[in-house]
Amino acid sequence: MPEILAVYPGSFDPMTNGHLDVIERGCRLFGRLIVAVLTNIEKEPLFTVRERVEMLSAVTGEMKNVSVDTFSGLLVDYARYKRAPVILRGVRAFSDFEYELQMALMNRKLAPTVETVFLMPQEEYSYLSSRLVREIFKLGGSVKGLVPPIVEEKLLEKVLPRVS
Ligand code: PNS
């Protein structure tokens, strides 16, 4: 079987343990995996693109077939530019499905040769999202166990600026 390149796109603001779970599953399944951070988010992000890329790169550093990149514009254009036949997405619960199906079918309409593949993260992450992590963090709650330790550190740095 040929080595398949997959693109795992998202906002990753911030990455969660659910994202990491999908990356780990994806890198076992595909020859190469590009984690692609969308740069043109309309809403105000918590982390800059650079910070998000740094955190993803740190967490995936040991995974030899995983790289981190950024993209803007249409996802299918990026996938074609990278010659990736697969877009990887995680589906947590039934509530995700409608949005994901709509996006996958629209992407198929735009680029019929690019397939979307869905992977389910571990059940314990089924309720986890970047939006909830941002909300918990902003309201002073603990995000321990929800995000990789480096993300937790970066979140804490936002409230406790380092004294040099
Ligand atoms: O992690 P997210 O925010 O759910 O990821 C959404 C993302 C980045 C995959 C989606 O918004 C996207 O692909 N944006 C790029 C623009 C695009 O291609 N839009 C058409 C999708 S049908």
Side-chain angles (χ1 to χ4, degrees):
M1 199 155 96
E3 283 226 323
I4 296 177
L5 167 63
V7 170
Y8 179 39
S11 311
F12 302 105
D13 185 35
M15 80 171 294
T16 67
N17 282 340
H19 291 129
L20 179 57
D21 183 284
V22 172
I23 293 170
E24 283 168 347
R25 285 169 204 281
C27 81
R28 289 199 296 268
L29 210 54
F30 299 105
R32 272 199 308 133
L33 185 68
I34 302 176
V35 182
V37 181
L38 177 70
T39 57
N40 52 334
I41 310 185
E42 283 157 28
K43 52 201 185 245
E44 188 145 311
L46 177 61
F47 286 104
T48 64
V49 169
R50 194 188 172 140
E51 288 174 316
R52 282 179 267 151
V53 167
E54 276 171 9
M55 287 183 274
L56 281 161
S57 302
V59 170
T60 60
E62 299 286 296
M63 303 175 199
K64 294 292 165 242
N65 59 342
V66 177
S67 56
V68 182
D69 193 11
T70 60
F71 79 104
S72 57
L74 281 179
L75 172 60
V76 287
D77 286 343
Y78 175 76
R80 282 189 291 214
Y81 166 69
K82 286 288 170 184
R83 298 187 186 284
V86 169
I87 291 169
L88 173 64
R89 291 286 288 172
V91 200
R92 292 160 298 187
F94 207 67
S95 50
D96 280 344
F97 191 70
E98 204 174 328
Y99 167 67
E100 292 297 335
L101 180 71
Q102 192 182 16
M103 205 156 64
L105 293 178
M106 185 57 82
N107 282 333
R108 179 186 283 169
K109 173 91 182 140
L110 295 169
T113 58
V114 179
E115 288 293 345
T116 300
V117 170
F118 294 112
L119 288 178
M120 288 155 291
Q122 195 72 21
E123 312 84 88
E124 65 195 271
Y125 302 130
S126 59
Y127 59 91
L128 183 53
S129 71
S130 298
R131 185 182 63 77
L132 283 183
V133 166
R134 288 197 300 274
E135 191 168 312
I136 292 165
F137 162 72
K138 281 179 184 163
L139 298 174
S142 169
V143 295
K144 205 171 180 57
L146 305 180
V147 295
I150 186 165
V151 177
E152 203 184 334
E153 280 166 33
K154 294 280 174 196
L155 283 166
L156 290 175
E157 279 175 21
K158 291 213 175 271
V159 270
L160 305 168
R162 270 220 182 111
V163 189
S164 53

